Amino acid sequence: ETGVTQSPTHLIKTRGQQVTLRCSSQSGHNTVSWYQQALGQGPQFIFQYYREEENGRGNFPPRFSGLQFPNYSSELNVNALELDDSALYLCASSSTTLAGLREQYFGPGTRLTVT
Amino acid sequence: EDKVVQSPLSLVVHEGDTVTLNCSYEVTNFRSLLWYKQEKKAPTFLFMLTSSGIEKKSGRLSSILDKKELSSILNITATQTGDSAIYLCAVEAKGSKLTFGKGITLSVRP
């Protein structure tokens, strides 16, 4: 186990609704990254937070937003859900040092189904 | 746009076989290449390869980075049924973003 936890495990939402997914990073890690993994695909980078600031963003629309808290836990918010948002959402925590990013450790993911 | 391509997409072998999984990449400002194993949900970290560490080994698994050819291989010797999983290759570029390949589905039959 990596020490990264995510909640909830599964979620079913309706098109147009909003959802909040949560992630607690591994102790000592100051960086959290979020990924979307559609069925049969590799994870796609959504964004990354470092010390409560967004530190990079992938090709996702603004309705995907996030937060990182002082304890380095994080939330992913998705507004106006679409059917294509159905996927496994993975959170990864890591430690960013002067030498650069260390390996990212993934949580178990949240399976989101949009109907 | 950064790109990672893995091959083959899927592979079926018998216990005891040796397998080689391939990963090639086109990335601006390469920093490292990572291999993950994904069984049910969370990808689990296997190796990180950088310019200063182009070969890693752990038990039956080993990996090599070829910076000239912009590629990496993951070798698994004496495969076991527990090695059945999706193997993901990811490349870290400047800005700390990971770009993943689609993954290679490995099935090891008894």
Side-chain angles (χ1 to χ4, degrees), chain A residues 4-7 20-26 29-34 47-50 52-54 65-77 90-93:
Chain A
V4 181
T5 61
Q6 291 186 243
S7 62
T20 297
L21 311 181
R22 295 179 175 83
C23 171
S24 292
S25 57
Q26 187 171 327
H29 284 183
N30 55 18
T31 303
V32 172
S33 305
W34 285 93
F47 44 56
Q48 182 182 88
Y49 279 84
Y50 169 64
E52 302 178 59
E53 298 284 333
E54 187 177 289
S65 63
L67 279 173
Q68 187 179 31
F69 300 100
N71 66 355
Y72 301 135
S73 65
S74 178
E75 284 182 357
L76 163 65
N77 298 292
L90 294 163
C91 159
S93 82

Side-chain angles (χ1 to χ4, degrees), chain A residues 85-104:
Chain A
D85 295 333
S86 296
L88 179 67
Y89 287 84
L90 294 163
C91 159
S93 82
S94 52
S95 178
T96 301
T97 67
L98 288 174
L101 190 73
R102 293 185 183 166
E103 53 266 22
Q104 298 189 19

Side-chain angles (χ1 to χ4, degrees), chain A residues 9-10 35 37 40-45 48 55 59 88 90 99-109 111, chain B residues 1 6 31-32 34 36 38 40-45 47-48 86 88 92 95-103:
Chain A
T9 307
H10 298 90
Y35 296 84
Q37 187 175 23
Q41 302 293 318
Q44 297 287 312
F45 175 73
Q48 182 182 88
N55 183 41
N59 294 326
L88 179 67
L90 294 163
L101 190 73
R102 293 185 183 166
E103 53 266 22
Q104 298 189 19
Y105 293 93
F106 284 84
R111 173 73 62 187
Chain B
E1 188 175 320
Q6 293 186 249
R31 292 178 71 173
S32 64
L34 300 95
Y36 288 87
Q38 188 174 27
K40 287 182 181 177
K41 281 192 173 180
T44 52
F45 172 80
F47 298 117
M48 173 187 264
I86 297 171
L88 294 164
E92 182 203 351
S96 307
K97 165 188 136 176
L98 286 185
T99 299
F100 281 85
K102 289 187 176 182

Side-chain angles (χ1 to χ4, degrees), chain B residues 1-2 9 21 28 64 66 68 71 73 83 87 89 91:
Chain B
E1 188 175 320
D2 297 342
L9 287 182
L21 311 181
T28 305
I64 298 173
D66 187 336
K68 187 177 175 184
S71 66
I73 59 170
D83 295 327
Y87 289 84
C89 171
V91 175

Side-chain angles (χ1 to χ4, degrees), chain B residues 48-95:
Chain B
M48 173 187 264
L49 301 158
T50 65
S51 299
S52 57
I54 61 170
E55 189 166 352
K56 293 282 177 74
K57 183 175 170 63
S58 176
R60 298 178 295 104
L61 276 65
S62 62
S63 184
I64 298 173
L65 174 68
D66 187 336
K67 282 207 72 182
K68 187 177 175 184
E69 297 295 326
L70 305 184
S71 66
S72 175
I73 59 170
L74 175 68
N75 280 319
I76 308 175
T77 60
T79 52
Q80 302 170 357
T81 55
D83 295 327
S84 297
I86 297 171
Y87 289 84
L88 294 164
C89 171
V91 175
E92 182 203 351
K94 187 178 177 182

